Amino acid sequence: MLVLGIDPGTAITGYGLVREAGDQLQAVAYGAVTTPSDWALPQRLKKIHGDLTALIREYSPTEGAV
């Protein structure tokens, strides 16, 4: 199982991908999507959507959590 966890925000959206490996958890990737403070909300949401969509395509998580 590979889980994508998202910490939502419009200025900074954190994410982490964690894989279950037997009885342990393994960090696969983590980071943040940041948007400039002078961007309008629709621009920010488009950037967040695009970056998270790219992560989902790259890693193909089986589960998600917010």
Side-chain angles (χ1 to χ4, degrees):
M1 174 176 17
L2 178 63
V3 179
L4 170 61
I6 299 172
D7 180 14
T10 54
I12 302 171
T13 298
Y15 66 86
L17 286 138
V18 179
R19 181 180 313 280
E20 183 179 33
D23 61 348
Q24 296 184 10
L25 300 178
Q26 177 184 54
V28 174
Y30 53 88
V33 177
T34 59
T35 59
S37 60
D38 60 339
W39 281 14
L41 183 59
Q43 287 177 292
R44 287 178 166 202
L45 294 176
K46 184 176 180 179
K47 166 94 167 115
I48 294 164
H49 177 268
D51 287 9
L52 291 179
T53 297
L55 279 169
I56 292 167
R57 285 187 178 141
E58 180 177 352
Y59 291 99
S60 300
T62 56
E63 306 291 334
V66 179

